[in-house]
């Protein structure tokens, strides 16, 4: 049996792990930026940063765009930040309702022992609403998201639960970093990751497992 079944507490990222939503969210951010009539070069720089740093909150990303990439006057920053956030959030609400589950996820989540949580960079109230609408909330003790940083979310979950062995399952550097900060195991689910080669390089360096598909529990007939 695969080692993924050897834990009693599971913490899942959402985008690219539970839902095949990474590419959809990158496109949504691109469209939100293009609506500002920015140059293609600035849009590309922002979108590249967004894709390469997936797992951090939209609040982090948009603040970075406004303060470090876009050439804005101080009195423009608040308005532009609000505009990007509003446009992106509206698109996310729609795409989350239609994004496909990653193949085999439901079989996995039903077979895993122990308690399961979600810790995502996505906005918390939005994510909880989507999970409830799609009937996914029943598989998890709770669903957590931004603006609280992921490492803190993991810390809060771990302190709230009695457990012997915990696992973080993600697809981004921020997921691995959060697991490291909390001294728990990490498995990278890579098929929909925005940075698959980077995650494989990290896996070689830090000796965590990278999986291309969800392991299925093998039933043995006596």
């Amino acid at each position: 049996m695969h080692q993924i079944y050897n834990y009693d507490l599971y913490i899942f990222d959402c985008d690219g792990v539970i839902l095949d939503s990474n590419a959809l969210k990158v496109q949504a951010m691109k469209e939100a930026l293009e609506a500002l009539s920015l140059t293609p070069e600035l849009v590309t720089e922002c979108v590249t940063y967004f894709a390469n740093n997936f797992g951090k909150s939209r609040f982090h990303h948009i603040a970075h765009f406004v303060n470090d990439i876009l050439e804005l006057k101080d009195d423009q920053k608040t308005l532009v930040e609000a505009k990007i956030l509003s446009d992106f959030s509206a698109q996310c609400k729609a795409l989350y309702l239609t994004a496909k589950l990653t193949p085999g996820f439901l079989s996995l989540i039903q077979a895993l022992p122990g308690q399961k949580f979600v810790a995502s960079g996505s906005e918390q109230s939005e994510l909880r609403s989507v999970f409830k609408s799609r009937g996914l909330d029943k598989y998890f003790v709770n669903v957590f998201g931004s603006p609280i940083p992921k490492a803190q979310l993991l810390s809060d979950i771990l302190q709230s639960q009695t457990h012997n062995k915990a696992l973080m399952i993600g697809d981004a550097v921020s997921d691995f970093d959060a697991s490291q900060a909390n001294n728990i195991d990490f498995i990278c689910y890579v098929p929909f990751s925005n940075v698959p080669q980077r995650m494989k390089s990290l896996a070689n360096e830090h000796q965590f497992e990278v999986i291309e598909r969800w392991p299925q529990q093998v039933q043995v007939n006596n």
Side-chain angles (χ1 to χ4, degrees):
M1 185 181 297
H2 192 275
Q3 65 163 336
I4 202 170
Y5 293 96
N6 296 333
Y7 297 85
D8 59 357
L9 178 60
Y10 296 86
I11 305 173
F12 287 84
D13 177 42
C14 177
D15 295 310
V17 177
I18 298 172
L19 296 176
D20 177 10
S21 48
N22 282 351
L24 295 173
K25 291 185 76 172
V26 171
Q27 181 62 29
M29 184 61 79
K30 182 173 183 287
E31 292 177 6
L33 291 162
E34 288 174 338
L36 298 173
S37 299
L38 301 171
T39 66
E41 291 78 14
L42 284 174
V43 171
T44 297
E45 186 175 353
C46 289
V47 170
T48 299
Y49 179 85
F50 180 64
N52 288 340
N53 293 275
F54 225 68
K56 295 184 177 181
S57 76
R58 67 190 63 174
F59 308 101
H60 163 86
H61 285 106
I62 295 171
H64 180 73
F65 300 162
V66 167
N67 293 311
D68 300 321
I69 297 179
L70 304 180
E71 300 166 356
L72 299 172
K73 297 178 181 179
D74 287 343
D75 61 353
Q76 295 176 308
K77 290 182 178 181
T78 299
L79 182 62
V80 171
E81 191 169 9
K83 171 67 172 163
I84 299 172
L85 182 60
S86 176
D87 287 357
F88 180 70
S89 297
Q91 291 188 69
C92 283
K93 289 176 183 177
L95 70 84
Y96 267 143
L97 293 174
T98 58
K100 294 180 179 179
L101 291 168
T102 55
F105 177 77
L106 281 185
S107 296
L108 174 78
I109 199 69
Q110 292 176 53
L112 289 176
Q115 305 295 305
K116 298 103 176 175
F117 291 82
V118 174
S120 172
S122 297
E123 199 278 325
Q124 181 169 283
S125 61
E126 174 184 286
L127 202 60
R128 286 177 171 176
S129 175
V130 168
F131 270 58
K132 185 175 182 179
S133 295
R134 298 190 61 164
L136 296 172
D137 57 332
K138 65 185 177 184
Y139 299 112
F140 300 96
V141 176
N142 214 331
V143 175
F144 297 106
S146 65
I148 297 174
K150 190 166 292 188
Q152 184 62 51
L153 292 178
L154 265 64
S155 177
D156 293 344
I157 292 168
L158 293 167
Q159 291 181 38
S160 73
Q161 300 294 310
T162 300
H163 64 280
N164 294 314
K165 196 174 182 184
L167 175 68
M168 173 70 193
I169 304 172
D171 70 335
V173 176
S174 62
D175 301 324
F176 171 67
D177 288 345
S179 72
Q180 288 283 92
N182 286 279
N183 196 32
I184 64 172
D185 290 350
F186 179 71
I187 289 179
C188 181
Y189 178 71
V190 81
F192 303 102
S193 173
N194 287 327
V195 287
Q197 294 308 315
R198 190 173 178 191
M199 297 310 297
K200 290 175 182 179
S201 294
L202 275 176
N204 288 333
E205 180 180 352
H206 295 278
Q207 298 301 302
F208 60 78
E209 185 177 7
V210 173
I211 56 176
E212 301 281 350
R213 61 185 60 83
W214 293 123
Q216 298 303 307
Q217 194 171 33
V218 177
Q219 299 294 332
V220 179
N221 295 322
N222 294 324

